[in-house]
DNA sequence: TATATACCTGG
DNA sequence: CAGGTATAT
């Protein structure tokens, strides 16, 4: 029997949020390369780590379903206090027969209170992670009326949504992404977590770990260990960035960039080794609330030239800082303050693994 | 300000 | 060559 939760089997352990497929498509949103931590563990079931817990998510037409694992030894925290598990409470309630009735009632109540607090917190964590307060359908409408090409692609690729990721995970994952492809980045991030992250729980022989802390990444042994794990020259970038943050910038520095204006935050990130314009924009867009940040890689550059006849950098071999900025400005002019979100839709639509979605269904031929 | 080149590793 | 960055010219 599968330890990964299946919605068809254990419905009572699942909670839900109303959410349509045009507001969120899990397969596209979790598989388009903005995060490297989610795997499809069952048909339409996505399992990953978020907010220090292990989750499985699935959805149907109008509902997002989620299951949170509360594994033994890692019960999660409530206001810094350990969650009281049903198992723990039962264990302490075996003293005398007479008191059992009362005690059980008290405990049931306590468990209720505790778990409803916990439920609320988990729901909030999920809403925050998927930024559900942002009405994606409305944005698609705006982008579509401003842009014919988006109108076409957006109709096929609905529900591609920016995540609000943890800045530490986002930064160090994207330092791994330079001159690299998704499948290898996924493997690297997985090894990073498995070796240096706090273990959370084990499901069907898969161990889930939290993303390592900056403190852990700043340890002097890290560069060599990562090199041994096949990180190549990125091992040094990771360690040096972590070390710079711990020794000079301070552990809160990254989080404070959430309330710093976009260009200022991007420049700040670029002072870290291994962080250029592209990586800085990814971190800005995907974890620092900068919806206008447009990460321009060679792929997005192609899209600008091919689908928008964008003249920026035409005839140039490499993406200079100047051309990079021009392409971002070009898209911001079309799409406005959520340009980064729009860019991710087109980026997603261009990925090889999603090309099959572009095939017209037989019924429409 | 703008190219060229090296950098790790694996598909 | 791949969803770049740092360095030297």
């Amino acid at each position: 029997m599968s330890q990964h939760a299946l919605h068809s089997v254990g419905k009572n352990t699942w909670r839900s949020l109303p959410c349509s497929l045009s507001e969120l498509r899990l397969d596209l949103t979790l598989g388009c390369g903005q995060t490297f931590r989610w795997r499809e563990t069952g048909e339409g079931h996505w399992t990953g780590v978020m907010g220090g817990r292990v989750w499985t998510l699935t959805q149907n037409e109008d509902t997002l379903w989620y299951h949170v694992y509360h594994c033994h030894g890692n019960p999660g925290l409530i206001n810094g206090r350990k969650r009281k598990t049903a198992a723990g409470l039962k264990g302490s309630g075996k003293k005398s027969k007479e008191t059992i009735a009362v005690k059980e009632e008290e405990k049931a109540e306590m468990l209720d209170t505790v778990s409803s607090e916990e439920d609320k917190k988990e729901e909030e964590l999920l809403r925050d992670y998927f930024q559900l307060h942002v009405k994606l359908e409305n944005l698609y409408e705006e982008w579509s009326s401003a842009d014919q090409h988006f109108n076409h692609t957006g109709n096929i690729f609905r529900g591609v949504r920016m995540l609000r990721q943890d800045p530490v995970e986002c930064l160090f994952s994207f330092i791994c992404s330079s001159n690299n492809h998704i499948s290898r980045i996924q493997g690297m991030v997985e090894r990073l977590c498995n070796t240096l992250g706090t273990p959370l729980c084990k499901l069907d022989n898969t161990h889930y770990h939290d993303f390592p802390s900056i403190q852990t990444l700043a340890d002097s042994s890290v560069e060599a260990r990562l090199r041994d794990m096949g990180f190549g020259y990125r091992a040094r970038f990771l360690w040096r960035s972590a070390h710079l943050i711990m020794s000079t910038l301070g552990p809160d520095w990254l989080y404070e960039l959430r309330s710093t204006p976009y260009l200022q935050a991007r420049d700040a990130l670029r002072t870290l080794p291994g962080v250029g314009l592209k990586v800085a924009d990814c971190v800005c867009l995907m974890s620092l609330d900068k919806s206008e940040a447009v990460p321009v890689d060679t792929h997005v550059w192609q899209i600008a030239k091919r689908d928008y006849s964008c003249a920026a950098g035409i005839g140039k071999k490499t993406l200079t800082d100047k051309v990079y900025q021009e392409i971002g400005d070009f898209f911001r002019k079309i799409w406005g303050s959520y340009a980064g979100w729009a860019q991710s839709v087109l980026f997603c639509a261009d990925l090889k693994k999603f090309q099959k979605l572009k095939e017209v269904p037989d019924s429409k031929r």
Side-chain angles (χ1 to χ4, degrees):
Chain A
M1 164 83 186
S2 159
Q3 291 179 320
H4 282 95
L6 273 174
H7 185 233
S8 55
V9 176
K11 288 209 162 73
N12 54 331
T13 67
W14 289 76
R15 305 205 168 267
S16 70
L17 244 36
C19 183
S20 68
L21 288 169
S22 48
E23 281 298 320
L24 170 64
R25 276 275 299 264
L26 287 174
D27 54 346
L28 303 179
T29 299
L30 299 177
C32 70
Q34 57 176 319
T35 170
F36 306 99
R37 294 277 272 153
W38 296 85
R39 301 286 185 276
E40 193 173 15
T41 51
E43 206 186 325
H45 284 58
W46 294 86
T47 303
V49 175
M50 187 266 289
R53 299 140 209 253
V54 182
W55 307 66
T56 297
L57 314 175
T58 190
Q59 67 183 151
N60 52 26
E61 196 58 51
D62 55 10
T63 308
L64 171 61
W65 296 93
Y66 61 101
H67 174 95
V68 189
Y69 301 85
H70 293 283
C71 300
H72 183 67
N74 292 290
L77 298 175
I78 302 169
N79 303 326
R81 204 159 46 89
K82 278 197 172 179
R83 176 189 173 93
K84 310 236 184 313
T85 63
L89 289 169
K90 257 185 206 152
S92 65
K94 295 188 192 165
K95 279 147 200 166
S96 81
K97 282 256 174 185
E98 297 90 277
T99 58
I100 280 183
V102 172
K103 290 260 163 106
E104 288 302 325
E105 199 175 309
E106 263 176 29
K107 278 160 197 161
E109 196 176 298
M110 194 172 168
L111 189 58
D112 254 19
T113 312
V114 169
S115 65
S116 83
E117 267 177 48
E118 189 69 351
D119 289 346
K120 249 185 246 165
K121 172 151 184 183
E122 285 164 0
E123 179 181 323
E124 199 34 57
L125 226 32
L126 198 66
R127 284 185 186 282
D128 184 72
Y129 187 65
F130 284 107
Q131 315 204 66
L132 294 180
H133 60 97
V134 177
K135 295 304 167 204
L136 195 61
E137 288 184 37
N138 297 349
L139 288 173
Y140 271 56
E141 284 287 318
E142 290 171 27
W143 299 326
S144 294
S145 56
D147 168 7
Q148 191 170 348
H149 179 255
F150 187 93
N151 182 39
H152 175 72
T153 305
N155 270 326
I156 307 169
F157 290 83
R158 291 171 192 269
V160 182
R161 171 176 281 282
M162 292 315 304
L163 267 15
R164 186 172 195 254
Q165 303 185 59
D166 176 65
V168 174
E169 174 168 336
C170 193
L171 169 63
F172 290 95
S173 297
F174 278 94
I175 290 178
C176 296
S177 78
S178 70
N179 196 17
N180 215 342
H181 45 291
I182 293 181
S183 61
R184 184 165 167 230
I185 303 166
Q186 278 193 350
M188 287 165 66
V189 172
E190 187 170 291
R191 292 197 291 283
L192 190 64
C193 295
N194 288 346
T195 23
L196 299 173
T198 304
L200 296 174
C201 79
K202 182 191 165 204
L203 264 24
D204 296 330
N205 238 27
T206 302
H207 290 269
Y208 290 90
H209 296 250
D210 210 343
F211 198 89
S213 66
I214 307 183
Q215 169 118 58
T216 300
L217 293 168
D219 187 273
S220 59
S221 67
V222 163
E223 182 185 347
R225 295 183 66 184
L226 294 183
R227 270 192 183 271
D228 288 343
M229 290 191 282
F231 279 62
Y233 57 85
R234 301 167 197 83
R236 179 145 229 264
F237 287 152
L238 287 166
W239 174 78
R240 284 180 57 207
S241 281
H243 188 259
L244 181 59
I245 293 173
M246 287 313 290
S247 63
T248 313
L249 276 10
D252 295 333
W253 174 81
L254 247 190
Y255 292 88
E256 286 163 1
L257 294 179
R258 278 190 164 157
S259 46
T260 304
Y262 165 45
L263 289 177
Q264 206 178 313
R266 188 175 73 174
D267 285 344
L269 288 169
R270 289 183 68 190
T271 64
L272 299 172
V275 181
L277 276 172
K278 157 67 167 59
V279 170
D281 268 335
C282 286
V283 178
C284 279
L285 175 65
M286 302 171 189
S287 72
L288 297 178
D289 304 329
K290 316 302 182 218
S291 59
E292 70 270 50
V294 178
V296 180
D297 51 33
T298 52
H299 221 135
V300 172
W301 191 16
Q302 297 314 310
I303 293 174
K305 286 189 286 199
R306 186 192 64 206
D307 302 329
Y308 291 87
S309 313
C310 173
I314 210 96
K316 303 232 169 180
K317 203 80 186 151
T318 54
L319 205 54
T320 62
D321 285 8
K322 184 168 168 282
V323 174
Y324 185 104
Q325 189 62 37
E326 282 173 10
I327 294 172
D329 290 342
F330 175 82
F331 283 127
R332 277 183 284 273
K333 200 167 168 184
I334 300 175
W335 296 324
S337 63
Y338 274 70
W341 289 52
Q343 168 271 349
S344 78
V345 178
L346 299 192
F347 182 85
C348 179
D350 240 43
L351 289 175
K352 193 145 93 182
K353 62 174 163 179
F354 293 133
Q355 290 315 296
K356 56 182 184 296
L357 292 175
K358 290 182 178 171
E359 291 166 16
V360 183
D362 285 342
S363 59
K364 295 200 176 172
R365 274 187 211 171

